[in-house]
């Protein structure tokens, strides 16, 4: 996608004209013009020269956006992309217009309507008054010449726009008044007051000037409001650090961030922003990643961990190695993604685009018909002209053109501030339409960090020997369950034996040779396809599965040797997220390659509606395809193993992307590893589309009512008339109202699922249910010394490390932690006390 800056646009008719012109260029596959940001996105195999030429021939200006060639981060003080350049110019124009408009209005309105006093040379001298008004109106028109230059230029190119309507309305009033002024030179007024008033009532100089001034007021309000819609993106750009402490030949230097290259060593002191993405070589720190994820709780980082540009080192000193700089950093990728999304159009905008393309010509025709009809009905030329001018100036294609992009920009900004990145406007619209949410199990619903809970020997070999052979085979696998077995082997100080002839039978099992012995491993179905399995062993496997554990079978030389049970705990916020989906009337489906009984046990804990188990990776796409027959499907996965299913779904969400936000298969990237962000993404989508519909309704209803009112349709029935000046004021405010309505999206309330609220207010949800009939699986630990959410994280991590703890929530305000025990597990109070004490806090006992 290539982006261009566009100049000369004033309304939706302009953007429609440019899109039409560029779309005709050979090689262009898609073209989207954004009136809000005055930009254009073009896809296809076409040269920049051809695009610029097409735009120029349409009567506008175009320039390809320059890509920053510097590998370093660009200095944010020089970033002009979203600077409000229009408001200062419009304000200057407005002040100048008002200076000359006020004396004009004093004479034309104040004297004529309220008999305000005038200098003696104006008394009974209508020619002097007319000349005075003409000069002042002409000055105001020169000040606002942009309307005439743009309007008539567009008319010459047969692409009239909003400026054309304003220019025609103002010009018609001015020319008509000027003609009457010349006619008056042949009339002898003497002191005939009635004759003077009769002629002067045909002066509309003040209307010509007032229309331009009021439209400028509206343009200024619109420009300032539009500037606020890009605040989220501007705040991201401003986060870019300017300097960095680098280490060269063991000497510390302070340099500009744009001088950093991959591999450079940099230092970060407490309170400083991290300059570029990197890996910690030395030290420990608490990193505030709110800028990227929206999460206010600092994350503890140590040697080997990744850090991202613009995050803040709250405490500790770290020495890092730069890994990604300039446009490759996470922050730059987020800025690019949000900017690209704003450059695309949502399908809902198509109606407005079609109307905008013909709107201005239709309004001009209606104005001509209005003038002709009222003249035919016997109205004076001045009265007929007034109604025609009112039709021209009240019509507003701008509101139609802004209805969608302003809401998309604000919605995208709100999402980005909370670690949710929509890749385009289509995904922002589709996410809210989801009727079914399909969830991968491992790493999505569960933590993705499974642990070995039990080893069962089924032969003469000991449990340690079973683990030795299992670890040797699993060392060649990248599966999360393999990592759990290797972690257990490391814990038991087992030396990993080499495995040969390794084969990964996707979705089923593993094969290899260890010490000359053939080893196979996998689930029950895979093992049964190779060996005979006793019913007693099958019953044991079923019993383990019902507990939510995954039994892995191992055989040596075709003899079933043992079972290793692996369990992955549910994320604390998964049940809450699923409960919120139900409130939104969205069906949840778990899609997993695990056995059905284990999957159902986990689904029951999380509150999931439906389970599709024993699905191979290549079968997930087909499962999503079948579900699409029942409604729009949103697939949530890790973006790697689930890539085909993410692509097939109407909306694909990659969860837990962290710094790897450029996941090709996903439409939406959730930076944090929380299902609550999936709920937030759907909420933002629904609220944004609702806002767009409100904007479109206002834009359409305003014109549907305003144009007939201006044309005088209601005059015979109700006596309603519309002065062109009020029509201009209404036109000015219409766009302002649309933009202001879109800004309300900044106040969308997203459920963050914070610990305090969950402990105190969400006791009805399964994951922290403390009802009396479930108290045996819960315990409340009283703790002193917690001061903040950072402390809560320490306590939570310490308690969840205990083998009998399923999950834990801590609250520094309530001075307690709520523990969820694993099924069939008993709490060890001494172990709890030790965990709390070792974490640096005071254990005060168990409540109850």
């Amino acid at each position: 996608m290539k982006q261009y800056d566009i100049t000369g646009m004033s309304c939706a008719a302009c953007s429609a004209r440019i899109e039409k012109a560029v779309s005709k260029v050979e090689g262009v596959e898609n073209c989207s013009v954004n009136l809000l940001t005055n930009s254009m996105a073009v896809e296809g195999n076409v040269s920049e020269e051809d695009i610029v030429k097409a735009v120029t021939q349409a009567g506008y200006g175009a320039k390809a956006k320059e890509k920053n060639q510097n590998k370093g981060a660009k200095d944010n003080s020089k970033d002009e992309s979203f600077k409000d350049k229009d408001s200062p110019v419009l304000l200057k124009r407005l002040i100048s217009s008002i200076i000359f408009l006020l004396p004009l209005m004093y004479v034309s309105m104040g004297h004529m309507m309220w008999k305000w006093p005038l200098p003696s040379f104006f008394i009974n001298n209508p020619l002097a008054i007319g000349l005075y008004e003409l000069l002042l109106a002409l000055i105001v028109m020169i000040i606002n010449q942009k309307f005439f230059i743009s309007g008539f230029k567009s008319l010459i190119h047969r692409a009239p726009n909003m400026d054309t309507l304003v220019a025609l309305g103002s010009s018609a009033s001015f020319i008509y008044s000027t003609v009457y002024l010349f006619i008056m030179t042949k009339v002898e007024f003497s002191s005939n007051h009635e004759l003077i008033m009769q002629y002067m009532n045909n002066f509309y100089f003040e209307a010509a000037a007032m229309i331009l001034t009021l439209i400028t007021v509206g343009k200024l309000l619109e420009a300032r409001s539009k500037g606020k819609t890009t605040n989220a993106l501007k705040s991201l750009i401003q986060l870019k650090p300017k300097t960095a402490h680098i280490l060269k030949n063991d000497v510390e230097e302070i340099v500009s961030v744009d001088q950093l290259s991959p591999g450079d060593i940099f230092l970060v002191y407490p309170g400083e922003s991290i300059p570029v993405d990197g890996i910690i070589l030395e030290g420990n720190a608490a990193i505030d990643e709110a800028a990227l994820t929206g999460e206010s709780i600092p994350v503890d980082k140590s040697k080997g961990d990744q850090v991202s540009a613009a995050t803040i080192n709250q405490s500790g000193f770290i020495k890092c190695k730069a890994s990604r700089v300039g446009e490759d950093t996470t922050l730059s990728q987020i800025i690019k993604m949000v900017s690209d999304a704003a450059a695309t159009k949502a399908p809902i905008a198509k109606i407005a685009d079609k109307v905008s393309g013909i709107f201005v010509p239709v309004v001009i025709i209606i104005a001509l018909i209005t003038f002709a009809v009222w003249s035919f009905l016997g109205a004076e030329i001045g009265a007929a002209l007034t109604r025609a001018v009112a039709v021209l100036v009240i019509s507003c294609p701008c509101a139609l053109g802004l209805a969608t992009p302003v809401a998309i920009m604000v919605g995208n900004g709100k999402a980005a501030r909370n670690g949710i990145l929509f890749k385009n406007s289509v995904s922002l619209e589709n996410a809210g339409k989801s009727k079914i949410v399909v969830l991968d199990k491992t790493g999505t619903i569960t933590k993705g960090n499974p642990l070995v809970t039990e080893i069962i020997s089924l032969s003469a070999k000991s449990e340690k020997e079973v683990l030795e052979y299992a670890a040797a085979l699993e060392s060649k696998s990248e599966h999360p369950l393999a990592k759990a077995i290797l972690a257990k082997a490391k814990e038991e100080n087992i030396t990993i034996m080499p495995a040969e002839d390794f084969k990964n039978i996707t979705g089923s099992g593993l094969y290899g040779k260890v010490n000359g012995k053939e080893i196979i491993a996998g689930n029950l179905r895979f093992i049964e396809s190779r060996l005979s399995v006793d019913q007693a062993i099958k019953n044991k496997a079923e019993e383990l599965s019902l507990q939510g554990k995954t039994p892995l079978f191992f055989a040596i030389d075709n003899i079933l040797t043992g079972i290793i049970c692996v369990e992955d705990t549910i994320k604390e916020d998964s049940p809450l997220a699923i409960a919120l989906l139900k409130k939104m009337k969205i069906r949840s489906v778990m899609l997993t390659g695990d056995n059905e009984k284990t999957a159902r046990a986990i689904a029951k804990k999380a509150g999931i509606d439906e389970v599709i188990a024993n699905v191979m990776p290549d079968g997930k796409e087909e499962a999503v395809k079948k579900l699409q027959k029942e409604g729009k499907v949103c697939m949530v996965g890790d973006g790697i193993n689930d890539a085909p299913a993410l692509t097939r779904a109407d909306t694909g969400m990659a969860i837990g992307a962290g710094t790897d936000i450029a996941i090709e298969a996903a439409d939406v990237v959730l930076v944090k590893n929380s299902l609550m962000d999936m709920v937030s993404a759907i909420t933002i989508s629904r609220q944004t589309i609702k806002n767009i519909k409100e904007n479109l309704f206002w834009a359409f209803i305003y014109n549907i009512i305003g144009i007939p009112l201006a044309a005088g349709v209601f005059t015979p029935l109700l006596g309603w008339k519309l002065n062109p000046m009020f029509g201009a004021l209404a036109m000015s405010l219409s766009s302002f109202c649309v933009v202001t309505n879109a800004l309300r999206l900044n106040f969308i309330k997203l459920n963050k699922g914070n610990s305090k609220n969950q402990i105190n207010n969400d006791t009805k949800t399964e994951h922290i249910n403390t009802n009396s009939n479930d108290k045996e699986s819960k315990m409340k630990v009283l703790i002193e010394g917690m001061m903040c959410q950072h402390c809560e994280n320490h306590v939570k991590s310490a308690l969840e490390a205990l083998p009998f703890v399923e999950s834990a929530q801590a609250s520094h305000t309530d001075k307690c932690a709520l523990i969820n025990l694993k099924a069939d597990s008993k709490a060890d109070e001494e172990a709890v006390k030790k965990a709390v004490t070792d974490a640096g806090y005071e254990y005060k006992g168990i409540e109850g």
Side-chain angles (χ1 to χ4, degrees), residues 129 238 333 440 547 563 690 760 767 787 822 834:
I129 293 175
Q238 289 165 2
Q333 289 182 53
D440 179 44
Q547 295 173 17
I563 300 174
K690 180 184 176 184
N760 292 333
H767 69 306
M787 304 292 290
K822 289 182 179 178
K834 186 176 186 303

Side-chain angles (χ1 to χ4, degrees), residues 709 712-721:
L709 176 63
V713 172
F714 302 114
T715 303
L717 299 173
L718 304 169
W720 292 353
K721 295 180 183 179

Side-chain angles (χ1 to χ4, degrees), residues 496-620:
I496 307 298
M497 296 181 287
E500 301 171 345
D501 298 336
F502 176 82
K503 292 178 184 176
N504 187 344
I505 299 135
T506 307
S508 298
L510 307 174
Y511 169 85
K513 288 184 178 180
V514 179
N515 282 345
K517 301 178 186 292
E518 289 189 354
I519 314 293
I520 57 171
N523 56 30
L524 178 60
R525 187 174 60 179
F526 174 71
I527 291 295
E528 277 191 300
S529 68
R530 304 294 183 96
L531 305 169
S532 175
V533 181
D534 291 343
Q535 188 60 46
I537 295 173
K538 291 181 186 179
N539 293 341
K540 180 62 177 176
E542 184 174 345
E543 180 187 329
L544 293 167
S545 297
L546 290 172
Q547 295 173 17
K549 299 175 182 178
T550 301
L552 301 174
F553 293 80
F554 293 85
I556 301 176
D557 289 334
N558 291 323
I559 298 173
L560 193 57
T561 307
I563 300 174
I564 296 180
C565 297
V566 180
E567 186 176 7
D568 193 3
T569 55
I570 294 174
K571 293 176 189 173
E572 293 83 353
D573 58 6
S574 290
L576 178 59
I578 302 302
L580 290 171
L581 284 180
K582 288 180 180 177
K583 285 185 179 180
M584 298 165 80
K585 302 191 185 309
I586 297 175
R587 191 168 115 226
S588 56
V589 178
M590 179 197 286
L591 194 60
T592 177
D594 211 336
N595 70 77
E596 188 162 349
K597 288 185 172 60
T598 300
R600 289 198 178 280
I602 291 172
K604 185 178 180 182
K605 290 180 182 178
I608 290 170
D609 299 318
E610 184 180 335
V611 174
I612 303 175
N614 296 310
V615 182
M616 304 290 182
D618 56 353
K620 289 185 177 182

Side-chain angles (χ1 to χ4, degrees), residues 107-116:
V107 173
S108 63
M109 303 291 285
H111 173 68
M112 295 292 290
M113 296 177 67
W114 300 296
K115 308 301 179 186
W116 290 354

Side-chain angles (χ1 to χ4, degrees), residues 428-476:
L428 178 57
E429 180 174 339
N430 285 342
K433 295 178 180 178
S434 301
K435 298 296 180 185
I436 303 167
V437 169
V438 178
L439 303 158
D440 179 44
K441 178 177 74 71
T442 305
T444 302
I445 299 169
T446 63
K447 292 180 179 178
N449 296 313
L451 301 171
V452 173
T453 59
E454 194 173 352
I455 301 174
I456 303 169
S457 176
L458 302 174
S459 65
K461 294 192 180 295
S462 66
E463 291 178 2
K464 186 174 182 179
E465 286 178 299
V466 171
L467 183 58
E468 283 176 345
Y469 279 96
L473 187 62
E474 297 287 0
S475 66
K476 299 287 186 178

Side-chain angles (χ1 to χ4, degrees), residues 668-845:
V668 185
V669 177
L670 309 178
V671 178
K672 290 177 289 185
N673 198 10
S674 169
L675 273 183
M676 289 303 298
D677 285 349
M678 173 267 296
V679 176
S680 295
I682 293 173
T683 301
I684 290 171
S685 171
R686 288 187 172 184
Q687 290 297 320
T688 301
I689 298 307
K690 180 184 176 184
N691 192 278
I692 289 173
K693 288 178 179 177
E694 290 169 354
N695 286 345
L696 288 173
F697 173 80
W698 163 252
F700 278 115
I701 204 71
Y702 162 81
N703 285 293
I704 288 169
I705 295 173
I707 293 174
L709 176 63
V713 172
F714 302 114
T715 303
L717 299 173
L718 304 169
W720 292 353
K721 295 180 183 179
L722 184 70
N723 187 299
M725 290 183 284
F726 290 110
L729 180 62
M731 182 190 193
S732 301
L733 293 177
S734 63
S735 297
F736 174 69
C737 291
V738 165
V739 176
T740 304
N741 184 53
L743 290 172
R744 292 192 305 112
L745 289 170
N746 282 313
F747 303 105
I748 297 173
K749 290 185 179 180
L750 302 177
N751 193 319
K752 295 286 187 179
N754 63 72
S755 58
K756 181 183 175 183
N757 288 341
Q758 286 176 343
I759 290 176
N760 292 333
N761 303 327
D762 292 336
T763 53
K764 292 181 182 178
T765 57
E766 279 189 276
H767 69 306
I768 53 168
N769 192 326
T770 55
N771 292 337
S772 57
N773 57 1
D774 196 34
K775 280 187 178 177
E776 291 183 5
S777 63
K778 311 284 180 182
M779 63 186 297
K780 189 173 182 180
V781 185
L782 304 178
I783 302 169
E784 289 283 352
M786 292 189 291
M787 304 292 290
C788 62
Q789 288 181 323
H790 193 45
C791 298
E792 291 176 1
N793 253 16
H794 272 302
V795 172
K796 172 182 163 66
S797 300
L799 292 174
E800 287 182 346
L802 298 173
F804 51 84
V805 175
E806 174 81 23
S807 62
Q809 295 284 357
S811 171
H812 71 278
T813 53
D814 295 336
K815 299 181 179 180
C816 71
L818 185 64
I819 292 176
N820 295 316
L821 302 176
K822 289 182 179 178
D824 301 325
S825 296
K826 289 186 178 180
D828 183 343
E829 188 174 346
E830 284 301 316
V832 172
K833 180 179 180 179
K834 186 176 186 303
V836 172
T837 306
D838 289 349
Y841 303 94
E842 187 179 352
Y843 174 79
K844 302 296 287 185

